[in-house]
Amino acid sequence: MIPENFEKSLETLSLLERMQQITTLFAGKKIVFSTSFGQEDQAITHAIASQKLAIEIFTLDTGRQFQESYELIDLTVKKLGFNLKTYFPQTSAVEKLVETKGFNSFYSSVENRKECCFIRKIEPLNRALQGADVWITGLRAEQSDNRADMPIIEWDAQKNLYKINPLIDWSFETLENYLAEYKVPQNPLHKKGFISIGCAPCTRAIAEGEHPRAGRWWWENSQKECGLHA
């Protein structure tokens, strides 16, 4: 389905042009974009909303977000004018987790943390992707070693869809320039040292020189992934 050299043809295009080409290629298919309202996702959201592209935008509300994140969601939807679908964890699963292990079990072990991530993020994501043909993400190669070799377009056999990472080859400088040029709303926590923002109890500010994802699950010696893109 993907024309030969299509991915290479995207390399010289702007983000706005990339999103246009992707939408054209998959015309008639269900294309979805998952946003956590981080800087990368804000750039893609702008590219979709400003061009009114036929892409469904959704987010996962874990129930443990920063207040600043909720405020950014409302501001972004209002300013860019798009419909946002929100998926929540299954109430029964959260209740069982808290009843058996408490509110902060994720601090106890990597296994407990991954269990919490599965309940609050992975399971809702799986529901959100049901019926989708194309899943767009805000991944960048610079974010972690696990993402360094990801292509712009890949086939996700486990989820049975195409996964597209339109910013995978972008530098952080390119990202910042885009956000500034189009005056895209950003989370005020970024200016306080929170580069990668997740759930409030699992995110801290980073010091100068630290890896961008060092503030995620900082108490762990792990690959710093929740499983959404593993």
Side-chain angles (χ1 to χ4, degrees), residues 36 59-70 73 86-91 94-95 97-98 103-104 106 116-122 124 127 198-203:
S36 64
T59 193
L60 308 175
D61 184 352
T62 65
R64 303 295 297 265
Q65 313 282 63
F66 287 94
Q67 177 61 23
E68 290 88 342
S69 297
Y70 290 116
I73 292 173
T86 304
Y87 290 85
F88 299 90
Q90 299 282 8
T91 302
V94 175
E95 289 177 344
L97 175 65
V98 173
F103 282 98
N104 296 320
F106 39 81
C116 186
C117 286
F118 180 84
I119 291 171
R120 295 181 183 275
K121 299 173 76 173
I122 309 303
R127 278 188 279 123
C199 292
C202 298
T203 307

Side-chain angles (χ1 to χ4, degrees), residues 219-230:
W219 63 92
E220 292 183 4
N221 291 316
S222 68
Q223 292 184 327
K224 304 294 184 177
E225 296 285 356
C226 63
L228 289 178
H229 302 288

